Amino acid sequence: MDFAFTDEQEMIRESAQDFLADVSTSAAVRAAMATELGYDPALWGRICNELCWQAIHIPEEYGGLGLGFVELTILLEQMGRRLLCSPFLSTVGLAANALLLAGDEEQKRQWLEPIAEGRLTATLAWAGRRGRQDAGAVEVQAQAQADGDGFVLSGVARYVPDGHSADLLIVAARAPGSEGTAGISLFAVPADTAGVERRWLPTMDQTRRQAQIRFDGVRLGREALLGEAGEAGAALEKTLQLAAVCVAAEQLGGAQAVLDLTVDYTRERVQFGRPVGGFQAIKHRAADMMLQVETSRSAVYYAACVADEALFGETSCGELPLAASLAKAWCSDAYFYCAEESIQLHGGVGFTWEYDPHLYFKRAKSSESLLGAASWHRERIAQAIL
Amino acid sequence: MKISFSAEDERFRDEVAGWLADNLRGEFESLRFRGGPGDEHSFPEERKTWERRLAEGGWTGVGWPGAVGGRGLSINQQVIFHEEYARAGGPGRMGHIGEGLAGPTLIAFGSEAQKARFLPGILAGTEYWCQGYSEPGAGSDLANVKTRAERVDGRWRINGQKVWTSLAHESDWCFVIARTEPGSVGHRGLSFLLVPMDQPGIQVRPIEQITGTCEFNEVFFDDAVTDADNIVGAPGDGWKIAMALLGFERGVSTLGQQMQFQNELDQVIAIARDNGQAQDPVMRQRIADAWIGLRIMRYNSLRMLSGPQDGSLSKAAMIYKLYWASWHRDLGKLAMDVLGPEAEILEGAPYDLTRLQSLYLFTRSDTIYGGTNEIQRNIIAERALEMPREPRLG
Ligand SMILES: Cc1cc2nc3c(=O)[nH]c(=O)nc-3n(C[C@H](O)[C@H](O)[C@H](O)COP(=O)(O)OP(=O)(O)OC[C@H]3O[C@@H](n4cnc5c(N)ncnc54)[C@H](O)[C@@H]3O)c2cc1C
């Protein structure tokens, strides 16, 4: 047991922190979020070509760097801290893990290599219109072709991260009449496949794009199916659990950022002849924010270690569902709490478009519902312990 | 970053569990899950006998260096020891103030003669300690200590009063913060003295607490004496040493404390399952939240223990007291809420509390002793976040 970063992990953290402080400034975030694409392709190109972050945890046999899930969360934490607008979470945190868990060797080579090389963005389309975010939320239907050995997809997927721009869609679809996690299949669907209709959904949090995707009798060959037909429920659940750990890491970074913003601002802002940060009412609230940040850090790093074991370990780590729910529940509340406090402690400027707290406040809310809100994850834990 | 224990450590876990299974029975069976905060008044003599059994097995001072007679376990093995001890229901340690506070302070700051005189008694479970810091006028503001000590005839002569002194009535020695420089104020002029309790100049009066039991006391010093050698560090070093000691309080034994918390939470869960509260959606959320909070407490400790081990508190570690104290207090309330109307019914008259009632009432002190929640927030804001310091008047 050694629950501290190795020197190499610390180096990754520092270089990510420094790079993003330079390139993902408030001005850069605001410029990116004003575009329909939602990120700056030139910056994404630098991330892929110079830093290879998109390859970080993809195994070497598929062209990746072969590092672990802890390294992945280190990057995500820093991205969340700087509100980096990018297709990283969708491509690496969702699609790549789905491919790793559900694809056969050939499919992994076919899709993970271009992802690792930075030539392909991807996402996971799983949730339907009812607003649920778990594996049971799948509404798109997959039917065997009457006239071949392929499938036909029909229905709507909603809230798909970067769904309007991703090159490849990993689509969860269910056998007609199936429920819950039964009957679910995963397909690798190039976004330009005939019958795929994508629509950008403008969102309150503008730092992460969402889309609605309609599948209008989309005909897929057998090779699009990842794993066995109707048997991908477990792989989808595990993908979503891993992604929940990824989002929790982003949330941790965001919570740290609003704490830093708030401490800096209240140390400078003078009222009644002294910095407002000297008033105990403010100091104590900042201390409570720090408590939320540090406990989130413990939750995220632990969950990252568990996720690493679950994805790459010899045993199929049974602890992942609980560790993921724990981290997502805790960090969702922590980030929202810190973000709302940061607006309050900034006073009037915290309510303006010009200052940054609202960007984090909005991101905190959207991250909360992404992949299951805190209360949903707590109920998952309740089911396990009660 | 790695969260699993090595095979060797797991073998050590079996060894600890095996020893406890062999020894924590017979005359000691009734001590299981007894003692500790809120239950310190139970079986003090029997628990002292248990301390000596532990000592014979080599299970006292497990984290102390071998050179001073400790077991010198690695951090990982200390974690394991404390976890297994609590899991087996090992009784609250009568010797915890000596082993956790007095001993480490002497190891860090004491003279060779002091170490030779005092450490063996702590390790053997034959000498017990209490902490004489707080006074009527010096609670959160510890530097306001008024108790005086002066050198007379080759001894320190001590006059003044301490308060809230836990287990003073069971202790052989007290470490006392006293003012040795007449006329000094604040943290200057204080010294760290080791004072024998059994003497005519010391009077111990129990204070009845919210639970109706007495674990802490007022201690009156009326020309009390101790040998001139019984000062740790030099005169005037008292504040520095007192503060270092507070750092030792956040050591590995917290992992054992958490295993105790887990035992308490398990009880609450068992009751909720039994009385149907486990079906209530709001209760389910609260219980899950408590479960999550306790897990995170463990991960926090593991992070702290993986950092520098010099007793210095890293910034991130400063949240620890505020966090566990608030969590534990909330658990006490949750326990009562899960019990519902049954929470009111005592074990018996006049005021015989059940374990959970005692937990509920006693946890009100967790957010007060060892630095109140408010003081913890000041510390976090000022030392970790570097926000402006509190103005100090007078
Ligand atoms: C069960 C128990 C066991 C104890 N055992 C021991 C022991 O063995 N040895 C020992 O020496 N002491 C012991 N104590 C004493 C304990 O350390 C003190 O009670 C504690 O430090 C608080 O001091 P006080 O009680 O004087 O409260 P006060 O300092 O008077 O505080 C009153 C209120 O004011 C708040 N406050 C004070 N200063 C500030 C500030 N600067 N900013 C904001 N709020 C402030 C406090 O948070 C609190 O809410 C024990 C206490 C308890 C409850």
Side-chain angles (χ1 to χ4, degrees), chain A residues 280, chain B residues 131 133-134 139-140 164 166 216 368-370 372 374-375 378:
Chain A
Q280 207 177 65
Chain B
Q131 175 177 23
Y133 277 24
S134 304
S140 299
W164 318 127
S166 299
F216 54 26
I368 296 171
Y369 69 76
T372 67
E374 290 72 32
I375 294 300
N378 284 349

Side-chain angles (χ1 to χ4, degrees), chain B residues 355-367:
Chain B
R355 296 308 301 276
L356 289 180
Q357 287 167 337
S358 165
L359 168 80
Y360 170 58
L361 293 176
F362 194 84
T363 50
R364 296 288 129 179
S365 72
D366 286 335
T367 53

Side-chain angles (χ1 to χ4, degrees), chain A residues 121-161:
Chain A
T121 61
T123 190
L124 178 72
W126 81 100
R129 280 173 296 194
R130 291 198 202 98
R132 287 174 56 186
Q133 292 274 295
D134 56 334
V138 173
E139 290 174 22
V140 174
Q141 298 218 338
Q143 255 166 319
Q145 286 174 4
D147 53 349
D149 65 351
F151 299 85
V152 181
L153 299 190
S154 44
V156 172
R158 201 167 154 88
Y159 320 110
V160 185

